[in-house]
Amino acid sequence: MPSPRPVSLTARALGAALLLSTVPAVAATAATHGPAPAVPAVTAAEVVPHLQALQRIADRNGGNRAHGTRGYAESVAYVKQALDRAGFRTQLRHFSHDGKDGYNLIADWPGGDPNHVLLSGAHLDSVPMGPGINDNGSGSAAVLTTALQVAKAELEPERHLRFAWWGAEELGMAGSADYVKNLSAADRKAIDLYLNLDQAGSRNVQQYLVVKDAKNGETAAFQAFENWFGARGLATFDIPLDSSDTQSFGDAGIPSSGFSSGVSDCLHSACDNLANVDPATQATSTNALIGVVWQFAAKTPAAPAATATVRS
């Protein structure tokens, strides 16, 4: 546990935001080893409201949702409220970076084998210069929508499903690095796979950038994303682990993948607002994550010899 520290303004803001957002949790009904329902598909209308909420949070907090600010605290509270309502077990993991309090939000769906965890995540913070709606409200909204679809379907996974929203990614993946650093050896070993989304709603997409974890020999999830996009006639391009929070996991020996829809023209700028997100791309990215999560949630972990080969 972190050592006691004086409660900062940001910590008080987070506490107030969480108090205002507290609602009774819906009883979770998921159990282990049940048949998986058909893979759902969502429309932009089911994802964009989360982006609108994050834009409103930035608007009332100086135009950003950066690490250590009230805007970030309110962003965490918004996501936590939605997950609590849906029946997830949520927890805030505190860390400190650059003298400011930060928080990772972790949400576990009851059921599944705790020794085989499928973790999906995205960073929730923006830079101080803008609201960060594509970078990375879009990834955060896609992960949140995926989690809510799990709850809506009352999914009964074989693997245990965990979802995460990281703080301080814009300052060097500080939040996800802190999470990985504080995992026990057993908890680290239990994570079969980490999936990451960063900039999931870019306009004028030329190709989807799929993370290839050559360091840990991960090919199954990489190939699953490649196949999902390829089946829909969408071009892809391989990118390395160090493009986002995948670096924290990959460096710790946790197999990782994920994707981005490409770098926005408004990257790290005030114009990274709602107008910087293409709703159709946002829906496509969300459905890609849903499809791969459904595939790996219901899949018995394979022996290393059964790992798929990467396309030439």
Side-chain angles (χ1 to χ4, degrees):
M1 296 178 62
S3 59
R5 63 176 64 244
V7 178
S8 68
L9 174 62
T10 304
R12 291 199 298 270
L14 178 60
L18 291 173
L19 180 63
L20 290 172
S21 68
T22 299
V23 294
V26 177
T29 57
T32 58
H33 303 299
V39 180
V42 299
T43 65
E46 295 170 88
V47 192
V48 170
H50 300 310
L51 300 179
Q52 294 169 334
L54 294 176
Q55 179 72 66
R56 289 193 296 270
I57 289 169
D59 289 345
R60 62 177 177 257
N61 288 287
N64 73 81
R65 303 177 301 98
H67 166 70
T69 68
R70 185 181 294 270
Y72 182 74
E74 291 188 12
S75 298
V76 171
Y78 171 80
V79 176
K80 186 176 186 300
Q81 178 189 38
L83 295 163
D84 287 340
R85 283 175 167 169
F88 282 84
R89 297 193 300 258
T90 62
Q91 56 179 306
L92 292 171
R93 300 281 185 91
H94 171 269
F95 65 93
S96 181
H97 187 74
D98 283 353
K100 298 177 181 178
D101 290 309
Y103 298 90
N104 295 320
L105 174 61
I106 311 299
D108 286 271
W109 180 242
D113 184 348
N115 294 314
H116 292 284
V117 176
L118 173 61
L119 173 59
S120 303
H123 78 86
L124 186 55
D125 63 311
S126 76
V127 293
M129 294 80 76
I133 300 304
N134 190 41
D135 183 18
N136 185 37
S138 62
S140 293
V143 174
L144 176 57
T145 302
T146 300
L148 296 180
Q149 287 296 311
V150 166
K152 182 178 179 180
E154 298 184 350
L155 191 63
E156 300 178 353
E158 292 184 22
R159 283 187 169 109
H160 179 73
L161 299 184
R162 181 173 299 151
F163 299 87
W165 290 262
W166 311 117
E169 187 270 357
E170 298 292 3
L171 301 176
M173 286 74 76
S176 59
D178 184 83
Y179 174 81
V180 172
K181 179 184 69 175
N182 287 293
L183 289 172
S184 68
D187 287 341
R188 184 178 299 186
K189 183 179 179 182
I191 301 175
D192 287 341
L193 179 65
Y194 173 63
L195 303 176
N196 189 76
L197 259 67
D198 197 343
Q199 298 190 65
S202 303
R203 293 191 172 275
N204 304 314
V205 174
Q206 302 299 313
Q207 53 195 354
Y208 283 83
L209 311 179
V210 182
V211 176
K212 183 178 181 181
D213 183 1
K215 180 174 183 177
N216 297 299
E218 197 295 312
T219 58
F222 166 77
Q223 196 64 58
F225 282 121
E226 293 264 300
N227 291 345
W228 196 95
F229 291 118
R232 291 155 181 82
L234 301 171
T236 59
F237 185 81
D238 307 348
I239 57 173
L241 277 170
D242 61 2
S243 58
S244 186
D245 288 298
T246 47
Q247 180 175 355
S248 299
F249 291 87
D251 285 352
I254 298 171
S256 303
S257 190
F259 68 89
S260 170
S261 59
V263 177
S264 161
D265 290 339
C266 284
L267 180 66
H268 294 172
S269 302
C271 60
D272 188 8
N273 52 29
L274 276 173
N276 193 41
V277 172
D278 176 53
T281 302
Q282 181 71 57
T284 296
S285 293
T286 305
N287 283 318
L289 180 62
I290 290 172
V292 173
V293 165
W294 244 251
Q295 177 181 339
F296 283 84
K299 182 179 180 181
T300 302
T307 303
T309 56
V310 181
R311 58 167 174 72
S312 58

